[in-house]
Amino acid sequence: MRALELKVPPVLLFALVAAAMYGLAWVLPAWTVALPGRAVAAFVLAAIGIAIALAGVAAFRRSRTTVHPQHPEKTSVVVSHGVYRWTRNPMYLGLLFALLGWAIFLANAAALAGPPLFVAWMNRFQIGPEERILAAKFG
């Protein structure tokens, strides 16, 4: 399975999972549930996700290191300030929050499969390989 490592850009994966969630909600309308205030809750989660992700990008920019997820070997420094004091992967966490917001907006039980699948893929094919490369480079 190493052939899949670092191959799918996280933003593309996010878009694919979001589209699949929409597709599931469309194909399985009977799984839709009433969620009062879902638009507000979805917006809040997505906004939090965007803020977390942008804080991660800003910390990388301040440290003058790459944000390119397919080439962690080009990283020039391990970032541990800003949002990185609380999470090792704020950009990916932000995408997860946005997917959770999307799931709430769709209000469909089948769409809830998307965020865990995103996390599973990211842990196996993105975060794990990144950590191996960074540990080899920085110790």
Side-chain angles (χ1 to χ4, degrees):
M1 295 308 274
R2 283 197 176 224
L4 294 174
E5 291 181 353
L6 304 173
K7 296 295 189 245
V8 180
V11 173
L12 175 60
L13 179 65
F14 165 84
L16 293 171
V17 170
M21 291 166 64
Y22 178 79
L24 285 171
W26 186 75
V27 170
L28 299 168
W31 290 32
T32 300
V33 296
L35 290 177
R38 70 186 170 107
V40 172
F43 175 79
V44 168
L45 275 174
I48 290 169
I50 291 167
I52 291 170
L54 290 177
V57 171
F60 268 41
R61 296 283 187 220
R62 277 192 303 276
S63 295
R64 301 182 197 278
T65 191
T66 184
V67 295
H68 197 297
Q70 272 65 55
H71 297 287
E73 71 279 359
K74 293 182 179 179
T75 302
S76 59
V77 63
V78 174
V79 179
S80 60
H81 63 277
V83 71
Y84 286 90
R85 290 178 294 181
W86 297 289
T87 177
R88 290 188 329 208
N89 297 292
M91 291 177 248
Y92 305 153
L93 181 63
L95 293 175
L96 174 62
F97 268 75
L99 283 176
L100 291 169
W102 181 232
I104 287 173
F105 182 78
L106 292 172
N108 186 283
L112 291 174
L117 291 174
F118 176 80
V119 168
W121 181 281
M122 290 299 293
N123 279 323
R124 171 60 183 91
F125 297 110
Q126 188 67 42
I127 295 169
E130 282 179 2
E131 290 181 350
R132 275 196 321 271
I133 291 167
L134 295 177
K137 185 169 183 170
F138 297 106

